[in-house]
Amino acid sequence: MKREIPVNSEGHYTIGGLDSLELAKEFGTPTIVYDVAKIKEQIAKFKAGFEEENVKYHISYASKAFSSLAMYDLVAKSGIGSDVVSGGELYAALKGGMDPQELEFHGNNKSRAELEMAVDSNVGYIIVDNFYEIDLLNEVLTEKNKTADILLRLAPGIHAETHEYISTGQAKSKFGFDLQSGQASEALEKTLANPRFKVLGVHSHIGSQIFATAGFVEAAKKLMDFLSAWKEKYDFTAEVLNLGGGFGIRYTDQDEPLDVKDFVKIIVEAVKEKSKELNYPMPAIWIEPGRSVVGEAGVSLYTVGSRKDVEGVGSFVAVDGGMGDNIRPALYGAEYDAVLAKDPNAPIAQNASIVGKYCESGDILIKDYDFPKTEPGDVIAMLSTGAYGYVMASNYNRNPRPAIVFVEDGKARLVVKRESYEDMIRNEIL
Ligand SMILES: *Cc1c(COP(=O)(O)O)cnc(C)c1O
């Protein structure tokens, strides 16, 4: 299905109703522009899915997909929580105005300093990943004479149909307690026996950019079976079943994501069914969407510079960004669509790879792409770049990281400044 490409009366591509060429002129390029209404709409759809199912729930935005102070502020005001996976994210989330009680702290190798920071700042939930962390967190809590609400991260042994690097729920994953081998039961025993921990339930995150509901349903059922067995064995009833994130988005017109509201409903119904079958009290269902909250809301604006054409071999159209602001194509072959900002409906006139300015042959943003005619100075808008782009940005080749702009109600505001050359040497000592 082709997505709708909005244009204004001049035929220019618009983002949140604003002319993308004007945005490029005002803020420069490369710039990542977010349509805030789209972010809010996704959050509202997730909520609606749960509300319609009439279950207890908690939505936590997986902020590693895209974080900035303005984003945390937006999340806080949307009435949902957020995940953080490092001291740095925790710091930014608090600075951005998140209520610490609404934060979940994830990570497979949280340091003592990070756990201390989480405990000191009264983070709501710590998702405990491994035995080392059980001991470390116990030490930290004992020192501070505090307790923590925790969930146990489990590896349910389910392989989501996605890229190997973004699949996390299979048994051979670095994340979580393995379910099949008995590790998970041992972790439960240990944490239940320790009064410093209040075990709220279990967590699993099976992967990312998942289109099929089957993996989630399978994970939910498997976890419910284990919870039921644990109820018998340990007299433990989970209040929370956290099924993670991973809901797929549309990068190209080939992608057909399910509406997130429907996704939620299918998962909830599977848990309801299982809870009835096992006569297990219906747990609150928690989810942690990242990509699906911000991915399609973001657009990267680039300016075309040089080109190279080799007869019979191919063409390259180079833009002023690339792998430094979006490493996903180079890292795992991610695909995107792009439009010519001044005329998205212009006829296809070339097949060329849209490449960046970084000194790597792999610095290709879109490979062998059918595109309208381009000239130096044209603005290209690469679509659905809102997730895992800026947050993975680097200063490779000492290119500054791009600016970030939020567009809402017909207004644009800069929320992250473009880095300066000076910023890039700030920590250096001569
Ligand atoms: C990355 C991650 C998410 C979010 O995944 P998306 O694909 O961005 O929705 C949620 N939970 C955990 C534990 C994660 O690591």
Side-chain angles (χ1 to χ4, degrees):
M1 201 176 74
K2 262 191 115 54
R3 79 179 105 198
E4 204 192 319
I5 302 294
V7 294
N8 61 14
S9 57
E10 287 158 282
H12 300 167
Y13 172 60
T14 61
I15 306 167
L18 295 185
D19 188 322
S20 58
L21 288 182
E22 293 298 323
L23 289 167
K25 206 188 280 172
E26 183 176 352
F27 298 101
T29 57
T31 287
I32 305 171
V33 182
Y34 284 87
D35 181 346
V36 173
K38 283 194 181 171
I39 297 176
K40 289 184 173 173
E41 187 182 303
Q42 286 299 90
I43 294 173
K45 280 183 182 176
F46 276 114
K47 283 185 181 171
F50 286 109
E51 297 290 345
E52 285 175 22
E53 290 292 325
N54 197 22
V55 286
K56 282 196 204 148
Y57 70 95
H58 187 253
I59 300 166
S60 182
Y61 167 60
S63 66
K64 71 178 194 283
F66 166 62
S67 68
S68 68
L69 299 187
M71 183 63 199
Y72 284 119
D73 176 61
L74 171 59
V75 170
K77 288 177 178 155
S78 303
I80 63 170
S82 180
D83 290 7
V84 294
V85 298
S86 67
E89 282 187 0
L90 173 54
Y91 179 82
L94 295 172
K95 289 277 180 198
M98 285 296 306
D99 174 356
Q101 286 293 307
E102 286 290 325
L103 296 177
E104 292 175 35
F105 193 17
H106 273 283
N108 73 306
N109 189 23
K110 304 177 189 80
S111 68
R112 175 187 286 269
E114 286 174 322
L115 288 172
E116 284 174 349
M117 187 178 170
V119 170
D120 285 340
S121 49
N122 294 315
V123 159
Y125 314 98
I126 297 178
I127 320 294
V128 175
D129 185 278
N130 53 70
F131 292 108
Y132 172 76
E133 185 180 342
I134 292 179
D135 294 340
L136 199 55
L137 182 56
N138 174 53
E139 281 174 34
V140 170
L141 291 169
T142 305
E143 247 165 50
K144 298 178 185 292
N145 194 22
K146 282 195 162 185
T147 61
D149 286 350
I150 65 164
L151 299 184
L152 296 176
R153 176 157 187 171
L154 308 181
I158 283 157
H159 206 296
E161 296 153 37
T162 184
H163 191 283
E164 191 186 338
Y165 291 174
I166 50 179
S167 169
T168 53
Q170 70 276 23
K172 196 169 175 185
S173 161
K174 73 169 181 172
F175 299 105
F177 297 101
D178 182 65
L179 207 48
Q180 234 60 52
S181 65
Q183 264 185 12
S185 308
E186 195 187 328
L188 182 71
E189 273 180 51
K190 269 194 105 156
T191 48
L192 284 180
N194 186 334
R196 297 262 167 221
F197 299 122
K198 176 160 196 281
V199 187
L200 297 185
V202 295
H203 170 279
S204 94
H205 170 72
I206 58 173
S208 201
Q209 186 61 359
I210 300 166
F211 289 105
T213 53
F216 285 95
V217 168
E218 201 187 327
K221 287 183 171 174
K222 200 163 176 182
L223 292 175
M224 286 295 283
D225 283 331
F226 270 87
L227 287 177
S228 176
W230 284 349
K231 186 158 169 275
E232 290 291 303
K233 195 166 171 198
Y234 305 112
D235 192 26
F236 164 75
T237 304
E239 289 168 39
V240 170
L241 177 62
N242 186 330
L243 293 169
F247 314 101
I249 66 161
R250 169 170 299 158
Y251 282 103
T252 72
D253 286 338
Q254 271 72 56
D255 296 330
E256 299 276 356
L258 197 58
D259 188 282
V260 294
K261 185 173 115 182
D262 298 328
F263 220 123
V264 165
K265 289 172 78 88
I266 290 168
I267 295 170
V268 172
E269 273 161 29
V271 181
K272 274 186 179 170
E273 210 173 280
K274 206 67 191 170
S275 124
K276 210 178 273 169
E277 179 197 316
L278 298 166
N279 193 24
Y280 192 92
M282 184 69 188
I285 300 182
W286 290 15
I287 55 165
E288 306 167 331
R291 188 189 311 270
S292 52
V293 174
V294 288
E296 291 188 38
V299 172
S300 298
L301 299 178
Y302 298 108
T303 301
V304 172
S306 68
R307 69 177 297 137
K308 174 179 174 176
D309 299 282
V310 183
E311 189 72 35
V313 175
S315 296
F316 302 89
V317 171
V319 298
D320 53 358
M323 66 187 292
D325 59 80
N326 187 353
I327 201 174
R328 295 185 69 257
L331 186 63
Y332 34 65
E335 293 182 6
Y336 288 92
D337 275 334
V339 297
L340 184 62
K342 70 181 180 192
D343 187 6
N345 298 313
I348 301 299
Q350 60 177 327
N351 180 280
S353 290
I354 300 176
V355 299
K357 61 174 294 184
Y358 293 79
C359 298
E360 287 284 328
S361 295
D363 177 27
I364 296 169
L365 289 170
I366 309 182
K367 202 168 179 215
D368 300 333
Y369 197 52
D370 287 329
F371 208 69
K373 178 171 177 284
T374 48
E375 289 164 2
D378 279 343
V379 173
I380 288 180
M382 199 157 122
L383 310 178
S384 297
T385 57
Y388 303 107
Y390 184 77
V391 285
M392 291 192 188
S394 75
N395 290 129
Y396 183 47
N397 295 158
R398 290 213 192 245
N399 286 305
R401 284 179 294 175
I404 310 248
V405 168
F406 275 15
V407 164
E408 190 176 20
D409 296 332
K411 290 192 198 74
R413 76 188 158 108
L414 184 66
V415 298
V416 181
K417 287 192 252 179
R418 182 181 313 287
E419 267 177 330
S420 65
Y421 292 152
E422 184 154 19
D423 290 335
M424 290 191 289
I425 59 165
R426 192 188 302 137
N427 293 331
E428 301 190 26
I429 298 162
L430 184 64

